[in-house]
Amino acid sequence: MTQPLLRKVDAVTFRVPDLDTAVSFYVDRLGHPLRWRHDDIGQAAVALRDSDTEIVLTTRHGYEPNWLVDSADDAAKAIEAAGGRVLSPPVDIPVGRVAVVADPFGNVLVLVDLSNGRYATDEHGTVTAVVDDA
């Protein structure tokens, strides 16, 4: 492998019981700008001041880092070939693909590729489309 597999931390998900309350806390009280909100999948993302990594507020997943990779399929195969385990094989998501793997030490890695692009939003941060950012 010529390049490291993991490109960067794309996002860290925070499980919340209610999206409106969580957005109010992080945006209105803590001052994080809303990047996008996708009510159909129970998620919203807020920006960090010194990073393009997002905090993704979610009503459906636990606390976990999401690692950006070039291809979720290839990355899952590479982890498995190196001695890790595939916990959830790659599946489609609106912006690309995602797989969940574990290293040989039990650390869970969520591998995300943005092969379909990124969310486009309206003036309120509501997701309106996925656009290819290439």
Side-chain angles (χ1 to χ4, degrees):
M1 184 169 286
T2 59
Q3 295 288 325
L5 183 69
L6 305 175
R7 294 175 55 189
K8 68 176 185 170
V9 175
D10 180 59
V12 177
T13 60
F14 292 5
R15 185 177 183 94
V16 298
D18 176 77
L19 207 51
D20 289 329
T21 304
V23 168
S24 177
F25 177 78
Y26 283 95
V27 174
D28 300 334
R29 294 190 188 113
L30 298 184
H32 290 274
L34 180 67
R35 283 213 176 142
W36 55 264
R37 182 173 176 150
H38 198 317
D39 287 314
D40 290 345
I41 61 172
Q43 294 183 346
V46 298
L48 298 174
R49 185 174 68 195
D50 295 330
S51 174
D52 66 348
T53 299
E54 299 172 332
I55 295 172
V56 175
L57 308 169
T58 178
T59 59
R60 300 180 184 174
H61 304 286
Y63 176 81
E64 56 196 20
N66 291 259
W67 298 91
L68 186 63
V69 295
D70 292 328
S71 163
D73 294 84
D74 293 345
K77 289 176 189 171
I79 293 285
E80 191 169 41
R85 294 179 297 130
V86 175
L87 303 177
S88 177
V91 295
D92 291 331
I93 57 175
V95 292
R97 296 200 29 97
V98 64
V100 181
V101 300
D103 69 13
F105 318 104
N107 297 299
V108 175
L109 298 95
V110 178
L111 308 173
V112 177
D113 72 47
L114 300 175
S115 52
N116 292 340
R118 294 190 178 269
Y119 287 130
T121 62
D122 64 16
E123 66 275 3
H124 304 291
T126 302
V127 171
T128 58
V130 174
V131 295
D132 186 0
D133 57 352

